[in-house]
């Protein structure tokens, strides 16, 4: 370790961006990631500014047998973007965006966040599917799949990926698309960071916003079962130009639209985003209110970028975080009983269960067209998220997360679920997420492009 520290000058002269070693100003900031529960000390952080930098950093690591981690937005619960004693390849400076409104395409650096991407595309009234928290990186998000408000309208982020520039383990740079390295391109769309470092993503965009419509309905815990039944009946009837998220066990935020007496109160929310006119949106959401009167509601026009940032405060940078997820075909009576009984047992006001709906355009893509882990049939991805800034409260909610996951397991259609929702990406769950056919195909691609498993700090695919 000391030898490599002495050697960092070689790396500094090889790459355009800064290199941080222990003791350097900026080292602690550079190694910190979203999940405050992860505190690892890499031997160096190489902040790359180009594909060439990434190749040089990989060569430096290879020659010194350093474990390599890749940091996009630094948002993974698992903390796989930072390793103890290894080298972090930090892409955060590679956050360029360029949009071609005539062709409806965007090129985005591998270290950009959703906020960078949304700002650039919304300048032209365009958007592509991404996550619901704007400080999430497009890198890890896209490579695992990428789901959010636009999934029903436009599919996953990967369903809109046209090509990617990739630095392979040997430092060579390739473009992956349907025409070039097609098997690599297939694997990148769902197979995570297993195959190389993506320095640029090229997306197809959709006309969305700048103004869209929000409908948020919040019910008390006492009304939990009835509220979740309303969600189950209503969501499949949503029009194509709408998205939704269930926030089970969420505490009402301290926002002006929440009546004072309900602020901080735990309950269950259904949030609907509409991309048509305000009048159509009002007609779309009316049946929710009619089916079960909420404690409060918030139906309003909102800028698309505002929608994308609306939940940022619910998952602040540096919080201690843990999550597990599983797929559910439906919110059956049994599923609802588990959620209604157990969600209220959380200890932290920040912990809750974001439940994503995958249908609409998501189901128009074939099962084997991408490497996404999970069926292309309509279903829910049920996430259980424990978050707190107090270690003892966090420990309680980590146990809460695990206990709900265990209780829902027998009711789940895929206990592996979405690879991006794994605080602990163990091999069994990764294999379960993809299923044997897809896993084997991914393992074959891995054997071709990363036979030595250089990129193993992720939801890892073992080379065939
Ligand atoms: C609060 C919160 C909310 C979230 N909400 C959503 C959501 O709404 N929708 C959703 O789909 N997901 C969501 N996620 C999950 C998110 O997609 C993953 O955590 C994802 O890994 C984040 O990407 P990142 O680049 O920020 O992560 P990082 O921690 O930087 O990277 C995670 C892994 O991705 C790989 N990686 C990242 N960038 C690259 C790259 N450019 N090239 C190669 N490999 C790379 C590496 O293997 C790395 O270990 C959420 C996560 C959190 C913590």
């Amino acid at each position: 370790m000391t030898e490599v520290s002495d050697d960092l000058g070689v790396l500094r002269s090889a790459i355009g961006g800064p290199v941080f070693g222990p003791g350097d100003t900026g080292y602690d900031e550079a190694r910190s990631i979203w999940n405050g529960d992860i505190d690892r000390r890499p031997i160096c952080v190489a902040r790359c500014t180009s594909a060439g930098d990434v190749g040089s950093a990989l060569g430096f690591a290879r020659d010194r047998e350093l474990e390599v981690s890749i940091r996009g937005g630094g948002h993974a619960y698992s903390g796989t973007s930072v390793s103890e004693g290894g080298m972090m390849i930090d892409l955060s400076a590679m956050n360029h965006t360029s949009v071609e409104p005539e062709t409806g395409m965007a090129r985005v650096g591998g270290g950009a966040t959703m906020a960078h991407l949304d700002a650039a595309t919304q300048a032209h009234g365009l958007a592509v599917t991404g996550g619901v928290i704007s400080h999430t990186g497009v890198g890890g998000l896209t490579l695992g799949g990428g789901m959010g408000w636009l999934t029903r309208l436009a599919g996953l982020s990967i369903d809109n990926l046209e090509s990617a520039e990739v630095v392979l383990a040997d430092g060579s740079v390739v473009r992956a698309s349907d025409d070039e390295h097609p098997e690599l391109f297939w694997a990148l769309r769902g197979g995570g960071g297993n195959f190389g470092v993506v320095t640029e993503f090229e997306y197809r965009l959709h006309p969305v916003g700048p103004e869209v419509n929000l409908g948020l309905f919040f019910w008390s815990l006492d009304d939990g079962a009835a509220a979740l039944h309303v969600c189950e009946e209503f969501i499949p009837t949503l029009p194509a130009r709408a998205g939704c998220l269930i926030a089970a066990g969420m505490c009402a935020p301290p926002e002006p639209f929440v009546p004072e007496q309900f602020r901080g109160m735990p309950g269950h929310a259904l949030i609907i985003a509409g991309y048509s006119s305000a009048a159509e949106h009002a007609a779309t959401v009316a049946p929710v209110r009619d089916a079960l009167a909420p404690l409060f509601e918030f139906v309003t026009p909102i800028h698309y970028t505002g929608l994308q940032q609306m939940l940022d405060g619910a998952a602040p940078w540096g919080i201690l975080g843990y999550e597990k997820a599983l797929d559910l075909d439906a919110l059956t009576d049994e599923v609802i009983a588990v959620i209604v009984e157990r969600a209220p047992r959380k200890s932290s006001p920040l912990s809750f269960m974001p439940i994503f709906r995958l249908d609409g355009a998501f189901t128009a893509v074939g099962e084997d067209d991408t490497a996404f882990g999970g069926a292309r049939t309509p279903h829910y991805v049920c996430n259980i998220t424990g978050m707190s800034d107090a270690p003892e409260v966090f420990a309680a909610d980590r146990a809460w997360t695990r206990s709900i996951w265990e209780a829902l397991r027998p009711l789940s259609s895929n206990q592996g679920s979405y690879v991006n929702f794994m605080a602990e990406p163990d091999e069994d769950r990764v294999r379960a997420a993809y299923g044997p056919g897809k896993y084997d195909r991914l393992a074959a691609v891995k054997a071709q492009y990363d036979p030595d498993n250089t990129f193993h700090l992720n939801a890892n695919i073992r080379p065939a």
Side-chain angles (χ1 to χ4, degrees):
M1 186 145 175
T2 323
E3 279 171 36
V4 177
S5 315
D6 294 345
D7 222 10
L8 288 186
V10 175
L11 183 59
R12 288 197 171 97
S13 56
I15 72 168
V19 174
F20 303 95
D24 288 344
T25 307
Y27 171 77
D28 283 329
E29 180 271 329
R31 73 184 176 90
S32 73
I33 55 172
W34 174 83
N35 191 348
D37 191 38
I38 309 287
D39 181 19
R40 298 191 192 124
R41 301 180 66 81
I43 197 157
C44 64
V45 177
R47 186 164 291 160
C48 296
T49 57
S50 65
D53 277 5
V54 173
S56 301
L58 283 170
F60 181 88
R62 191 172 47 248
D63 292 347
R64 290 153 185 83
E65 297 184 351
L66 294 177
E67 185 174 50
V68 171
S69 70
I70 310 301
R71 183 203 191 276
H75 229 271
Y77 276 86
S78 56
T80 49
S81 64
V82 56
S83 77
E84 187 65 44
M87 171 200 273
M88 178 200 273
I89 294 187
D90 173 7
L91 304 174
S92 62
M94 297 180 67
N95 57 21
H96 61 273
T97 51
S98 73
V99 178
E100 266 187 34
E102 311 76 37
T103 55
M105 304 296 292
R107 286 176 184 260
V108 183
T113 62
M114 282 310 306
H116 294 121
L117 175 57
D118 291 336
T121 55
Q122 277 294 283
H124 305 280
L126 298 167
V128 65
T129 311
V132 301
I133 305 278
S134 76
H135 39 79
T136 308
V138 302
L141 178 124
T142 300
L143 294 168
M147 57 188 70
W149 295 114
L150 295 182
T151 313
R152 299 186 69 258
L153 175 75
L156 299 170
S157 306
I158 48 171
D159 300 336
N160 299 284
L161 193 63
E162 185 73 9
S163 72
E165 180 187 74
V166 192
V167 183
L168 302 176
D170 64 5
S172 59
V173 183
V174 300
R175 185 154 283 276
S177 68
D178 279 336
D179 302 323
E180 296 172 83
H181 298 274
E183 206 48 16
L184 173 64
F185 187 52
W186 172 83
L188 290 174
R189 287 174 292 161
N194 273 287
F195 308 96
V197 182
V198 177
T199 43
E200 189 175 84
F201 295 92
E202 186 186 16
Y203 299 100
R204 291 183 294 276
L205 307 173
H206 302 264
V208 173
E211 191 169 275
V212 299
N213 292 286
L214 176 72
L216 184 154
F217 297 87
F218 189 96
W219 295 275
S220 70
L221 291 178
D222 288 344
D223 277 340
L228 293 173
H229 278 294
V230 169
C231 294
E232 173 65 9
E233 272 162 38
F234 170 76
I235 287 171
T237 71
L238 270 173
R241 291 193 66 80
C244 68
L245 182 76
I246 301 171
M250 180 198 198
C251 290
E255 297 291 339
F257 70 84
V258 180
E260 234 173 285
Q261 69 272 29
F262 300 134
R263 291 181 194 165
M265 179 186 276
H268 304 286
L270 172 62
I271 312 173
I272 301 151
Y275 315 115
S276 46
S277 70
E280 278 174 75
H281 180 68
T284 297
V285 302
V288 177
R289 178 191 308 116
D290 296 345
L292 183 68
L295 268 190
F296 64 88
E297 64 174 65
F298 188 45
V299 180
T300 179
I302 185 171
H303 276 103
Y304 177 74
T305 48
L307 174 74
Q308 286 287 87
Q309 292 163 16
M310 182 179 71
L311 296 174
D312 283 4
W317 189 269
I319 200 80
L320 311 175
Y322 182 79
E323 76 172 352
K324 277 178 115 58
L326 33 68
D327 291 357
L328 298 168
D329 280 343
L331 301 180
T332 60
D333 291 351
E334 292 91 337
V335 166
I336 290 175
V338 170
I339 296 174
V340 166
E341 188 201 337
R342 291 176 186 249
R345 295 192 203 160
K346 67 178 189 163
S347 301
S348 166
L350 286 176
S351 301
F352 75 115
M353 298 175 63
I355 304 177
F356 291 73
R357 175 69 176 177
L358 303 185
D359 65 8
F362 167 83
T363 60
V365 178
E367 292 285 347
D368 294 324
D369 290 354
T370 71
F372 180 68
R376 285 283 182 168
T377 48
H379 67 276
Y380 297 95
V381 175
C382 176
N383 187 322
I384 311 144
T385 305
M387 283 182 285
S388 174
D389 54 10
E392 51 308 338
V393 177
F394 175 60
D397 278 6
R398 189 165 36 203
W400 169 83
T401 298
R402 288 178 176 147
S403 88
I404 300 184
W405 190 76
E406 286 297 341
L408 287 175
R409 245 174 110 165
L411 309 172
S412 162
S413 48
N414 180 351
Q415 299 157 22
S417 190
Y418 182 31
V419 289
N420 277 358
F421 287 164
M422 291 186 186
E424 295 153 319
D426 52 78
E427 189 174 351
D428 285 354
R429 250 189 92 195
V430 175
R431 283 180 179 273
Y434 292 112
K438 253 183 202 171
Y439 188 92
D440 289 348
R441 185 170 166 191
L442 285 166
V445 183
K446 179 82 171 172
Q448 186 182 349
Y449 287 94
D450 183 21
D452 298 328
N453 208 0
T454 299
F455 306 112
H456 63 266
L457 292 173
N458 44 40
N460 196 231
I461 310 283
R462 313 257 177 229

